[in-house]
Structure formats: structure tokens, C-alpha cells
Amino acid sequence: MTEALELAHNAGKLPIARVRGSDFWGPDDFAATPFIFGSALTGKRASILGNKHKPHTFTYAPDFGKALAIAGTNDTALGEIWHVPSNPPITQIELFNLISAELDKHVKTRVVGTRLIRLLGLFNPNMREMVEMMYQWNHPFVMDSSKFEKTFGMKATSVNEAINNTLSWYRKHI
């Protein structure tokens, strides 16, 4: 699909800007947010995928929406690939430590490795698809958003503010 859009753009048929983010979390996200923040708030073990010590870029969902609005209304964005402003990469264990600090209680975690995901994939199609994405969790997964930041002046919401906002939102939705 991306190739088709790029061909249409290059042929002058369709103006496009490609905006990419990393793994989303934040208010109004019902994919990763319940597993991270829901577990933390309810005292359940939160799942860490792959290697808990590998740096990973996380994208705060409201920042993604803001970046889409900026790129979608600015001709400078056309024909380019843009990475959404995101905080510097942190490990999953660092993320849970920040959440623990905000909650003033220890968040219990468990590591879910590729083998378990593969096993779960025998019964769950979503997990089956997840296996091919585990490289993002077993190795450093770092996204550089400096091009977007320099061009449009947008900065990522600080990780502490994003955590606080997400916890506040999630408390209203449990």
C-alpha cells in the first residue's frame, strides 16, 4: 500500500506524507495501554515482551495525533517520511519503574518471550502475528524523530507527563 501511494505521489496524482510512530500508549489507546497501565493500576502482573533490558522507543498516542495534524496540513511534509516526536528510548523495566514511582507502589512484571508468544500463537491469531514482530522487543528498537522536531518544532510530551495523563485517563475507564 505504501508503495502504491508513493507511486501515485511521484506521478503527481496524490499528495502524501508518511508519518510513522513506534509502539503506542496513552489515553484512548486500547491496544497496549490496558496491558501496561491496566495491570499496574489493578495490581496484576504486567507483561514485558522479549528482553526487558533493551532500549525501546515508545510513542505517546496524543503526540501521534498532533504530528498527523501537522504533517497533514503542511506542504513541507509532502513526499517525505516522518517519525513522530517520541521520548528517548528506555527499557521496558525503566518504563515500569517510572509508572511505579508515579503510583508510589511497585508494579509487578513478568517477561513474555518469543517461545511463549509462538506457543500462544497456536491458539490465538493475534499472537501468531506477534511472533514476527518480536525482534522489536529482543533487540534495541530506536526511532529518530529529530527531522520532524527540527522541521516543525514539535517536541514529544515528557514521559512523566505522558504517564501521569495516561494513568488519570485509565482510572476513569477501568
Side-chain angles (χ1 to χ4, degrees):
M1 184 172 153
T2 300
E3 289 175 11
L5 290 171
E6 185 176 355
L7 287 172
H9 175 79
N10 291 340
K13 297 177 183 176
L14 181 69
I16 66 164
R18 290 159 286 184
V19 181
R20 298 178 179 159
S22 189
D23 292 288
F24 302 111
W25 58 274
D28 295 314
D29 168 64
F30 292 96
T33 302
F35 294 106
I36 299 170
F37 293 88
S39 298
L41 283 168
T42 59
K44 296 179 183 172
R45 286 195 181 277
S47 295
I48 289 178
L49 296 173
N51 188 321
K52 65 182 177 182
H53 299 294
K54 297 296 181 184
H56 193 88
T57 299
F58 292 93
T59 299
Y60 183 54
D63 287 344
F64 191 82
K66 183 177 177 182
L68 284 175
I70 290 169
T73 58
N74 195 314
D75 287 347
T76 304
L78 297 177
E80 297 289 327
I81 297 171
W82 303 94
H83 290 165
V84 175
S86 300
N87 285 292
I90 59 175
T91 67
Q92 292 176 85
I93 204 68
E94 289 171 323
L95 176 62
F96 282 107
N97 288 340
L98 291 169
I99 294 168
S100 291
E102 185 64 34
L103 291 173
D104 198 28
K105 71 174 186 177
H106 177 70
V107 175
K108 296 177 272 182
T109 60
R110 68 173 165 244
V111 175
V112 178
T114 305
R115 287 182 189 176
L116 180 57
I117 297 291
R118 188 171 278 120
L119 178 65
L120 293 172
L122 296 173
F123 310 99
N124 182 321
N126 292 331
M127 290 294 117
R128 193 171 320 132
E129 292 176 17
M130 181 73 167
V131 171
E132 69 183 70
M133 303 307 290
M134 286 300 290
Y135 72 92
Q136 297 178 12
W137 304 101
N138 289 320
H139 304 284
F141 192 74
V142 177
M143 188 179 77
D144 178 6
S145 57
S146 60
K147 176 181 166 183
F148 195 102
E149 293 170 16
K150 288 176 189 168
T151 304
F152 301 111
M154 180 185 161
K155 297 284 183 202
T157 302
S158 77
V159 70
N160 289 328
E161 181 181 345
I163 288 170
N164 189 20
N165 291 347
T166 304
L167 287 169
S168 295
W169 172 84
Y170 203 83
R171 281 182 181 108
K172 296 174 187 171
H173 293 86
I174 339 187

